[in-house]
Amino acid sequence: MKLLLLVKFFVTTTTVQAQSLLNATARYPQLSNFNELLSTFPDLAAGLLTNISTSLSRQTILVPSNDAFDNYQQQNGASISSLSSSDVGNILNYHTLQGALSSSDIQQPNGLVSETALRNSTYATRENATDAGDSLPQVVYISSTQTATGRKIKARQISALSSVDVRSGKGNEIELEQTPGNWSGGVFFVVNGFLTLPVNQTDTMTSANLTSFVRGLVRTNVADGTNAARGLTCVCPSNQAFEAISNNNGNLTDGLGSLQATLTRHGLTGSYYTTNFTDGDMIQSQNGYPILVTRRNGSIFLNDARLVGSNYIANSGAVHALDRIMGFLNTTTNETTPANAAIYSDPANIPTPPPTPSVETSSGGVIPTSNATRNQIVPSATETGGSGPAASETGAAETGSTEGTSAASSSRGLCTGAAFVGTALLMGILAL
């Protein structure tokens, strides 16, 4: 009560013609639980409780409705106010977007990736933003979709009329009301749920039902290294895509056709969201294979593989789902050789990646400095192939999770430059 009186006194005595987020949202009965949360954690919400934002730039706040609070308690068995101060702080930071977004901003035809105030290293381990090692802040993906009765806008940690979705961690989505409210530090939008804090790559893949890819990482002892990597995008073939290969050819070959080589060919250094995939772009996998981006009939293709699931936000980047294992691109003709059972039947069939362009780094981020820089990815793993024993088919690999994996695997991953394991049995992965 004392805090509310102090805020009221500040607002009525200041000459600034503005209002705090607390006062702005107090006019809406359906946002009373949010106001109570701010009052319960005044230290965390200090910049939102005063008229003048502590940020030098304006912000967009995603304000959960009372229904969002009720749904959270039903799903988790406890109210969000029962969380620790640090947990609530991370959630509030994730609901704080950089810049004051307008209704038109959130209805971009190809979606919008927006950086947030979430920088906690548990949830944001994207590319380094500075030489000191500070990582870029975490993002949400905001998309607008057309429905029979209007336009639907979603925020995916990104209804009837125009609706927006926000997609966050694990690919979970909440809906956002299009009309913004104003406060002294920017704008706010009402949302019907809480954003999900991002988790690591393998947990994100599991949430997207890309379990064959996860089992492959575990079986080749690179799951822990993959989760430890900073700035990583995995474009994962679906479970059905792996089955299409295994039904005809039970074994992946050694060398360039090994399981780990195949997995690494689907790893990109940097945070790539669908907003970064521009038609005609040529990017590069972590082991040096070229990937041509094509936009056709509303779909995005990487070589011959179509994105069938996208923008699953992970703590270190993103995860996308493909309808098949990416084929091998001939950069002279721009033709793709399908990665089917026939080509995997003999190691000699697998093309060798072309020489890697000599570049220092790639932004691969939300707002790339230039297409030329973004599209040249420095691979951080090289193929040695056939140099090691077959991956173990016991222990942690049987669980399809990263728990129980050998401690040695923590230094190896899609981004860690480890030598590739030799032969790996794909049928063993799919049979788990």
Side-chain angles (χ1 to χ4, degrees):
M1 179 62 68
K2 291 182 178 180
L3 173 64
L4 293 177
L5 291 175
L6 287 173
V7 172
K8 182 177 180 180
F9 175 78
F10 182 85
V11 172
T12 56
T13 57
T14 182
T15 58
V16 179
Q17 299 301 311
Q19 58 182 342
S20 69
L21 181 65
L22 182 65
N23 286 329
T25 56
R27 297 159 50 191
Y28 302 88
Q30 70 270 32
L31 302 180
S32 60
N33 287 347
F34 179 76
N35 287 349
E36 183 178 346
L37 182 68
L38 292 186
S39 300
T40 303
F41 296 93
D43 292 339
L44 297 177
L48 307 180
L49 289 171
T50 60
N51 283 74
I52 303 174
S53 173
T54 58
S55 173
L56 296 177
S57 61
R58 291 168 63 78
Q59 299 171 326
T60 297
I61 311 299
L62 304 183
V63 180
S65 65
N66 289 351
D67 287 342
F69 281 81
D70 293 339
N71 292 335
Y72 181 92
Q73 182 157 358
Q74 291 177 4
Q75 294 169 3
N76 297 278
S79 67
I80 196 162
S81 59
S82 67
L83 297 177
S84 68
S85 176
S86 60
D87 288 340
V88 174
N90 288 323
I91 292 172
L92 290 177
N93 284 337
Y94 204 23
H95 279 251
T96 302
L97 312 186
Q98 297 183 15
L101 301 179
S102 66
S103 295
S104 59
D105 289 331
I106 63 176
Q107 297 188 66
Q108 296 296 318
N110 294 324
L112 172 70
V113 173
S114 178
E115 290 186 336
T116 72
L118 180 60
R119 289 181 177 271
N120 184 299
S121 59
T122 300
Y123 311 108
T125 57
R126 298 169 60 222
E127 301 92 318
N128 289 341
T130 67
D131 292 337
D134 297 329
S135 63
L136 293 172
Q138 192 49 267
V139 304
V140 294
Y141 174 72
I142 303 176
S143 64
S144 172
T145 56
Q146 186 71 41
T147 67
T149 52
R151 192 163 188 80
K152 184 175 183 181
I153 304 175
K154 297 184 177 181
R156 173 178 280 192
Q157 280 156 254
I158 95 150
S159 78
L161 300 175
S162 185
S163 167
V164 177
D165 293 343
V166 182
R167 176 168 289 191
S168 57
K170 295 186 175 181
N172 290 337
E173 290 182 346
I174 60 176
E175 291 191 5
L176 175 152
E177 294 184 9
Q178 289 185 65
T179 304
N182 295 299
W183 66 291
S184 60
V187 301
F188 67 89
F189 290 89
V190 178
V191 292
N192 70 349
F194 283 90
L195 298 174
T196 301
L197 295 174
V199 293
N200 63 32
Q201 286 279 336
T202 56
D203 286 345
T204 302
M205 295 173 195
T206 299
S207 297
N209 196 32
L210 298 167
T211 52
S212 289
F213 200 92
V214 174
R215 289 168 184 152
L217 294 174
V218 172
R219 188 170 292 279
T220 53
N221 293 326
V222 296
D224 286 354
T226 297
N227 288 332
R230 300 175 69 93
L232 173 65
T233 297
C234 291
V235 288
C236 308
S238 66
N239 296 341
Q240 294 77 9
F242 280 108
E243 290 171 2
I245 297 295
S246 66
N247 287 342
N248 297 288
N249 184 46
N251 298 337
L252 285 179
T253 57
D254 293 339
L256 297 178
S258 72
L259 175 58
Q260 189 169 346
T262 300
L263 297 174
T264 307
R265 194 160 55 82
H266 290 80
L268 309 176
T269 300
S271 300
Y272 276 81
Y273 310 98
T274 51
T275 52
N276 297 124
F277 291 137
T278 302
D279 187 55
D281 275 0
M282 189 74 72
I283 58 182
Q284 192 175 68
S285 73
Q286 289 199 315
N287 49 357
Y289 283 94
I291 301 172
L292 177 64
V293 178
T294 305
R295 287 182 175 264
R296 184 170 66 247
N297 298 326
S299 295
I300 298 175
F301 292 83
L302 303 181
N303 291 347
D304 59 342
R306 180 170 64 91
L307 264 67
V308 293
S310 58
N311 299 313
Y312 300 100
I313 307 300
N315 60 357
S316 60
V319 170
H320 307 281
L322 301 176
D323 68 346
R324 67 191 66 191
I325 296 174
M326 275 193 299
F328 300 91
L329 178 71
N330 183 320
T331 55
T332 301
T333 64
N334 276 354
E335 294 180 353
T336 300
T337 301
N340 53 27
I343 198 168
Y344 273 107
S345 64
D346 185 348
N349 294 335
I350 306 296
T352 301
T356 302
S358 177
V359 293
E360 293 183 358
T361 186
S362 164
S363 67
V366 178
I367 306 177
T369 55
S370 70
N371 285 342
T373 301
R374 188 195 71 205
N375 295 336
Q376 295 175 336
I377 304 299
V378 179
S380 54
T382 55
E383 304 228 3
T384 59
S387 61
S392 170
E393 297 188 14
T394 61
E398 296 179 355
T399 68
S401 72
T402 59
E403 295 181 359
T405 305
S406 168
S409 66
S410 64
S411 64
R412 298 161 56 185
L414 291 183
C415 286
T416 57
F420 289 115
V421 176
T423 303
L425 301 180
L426 182 60
M427 282 295 287
I429 297 169
L430 297 172
L432 297 177

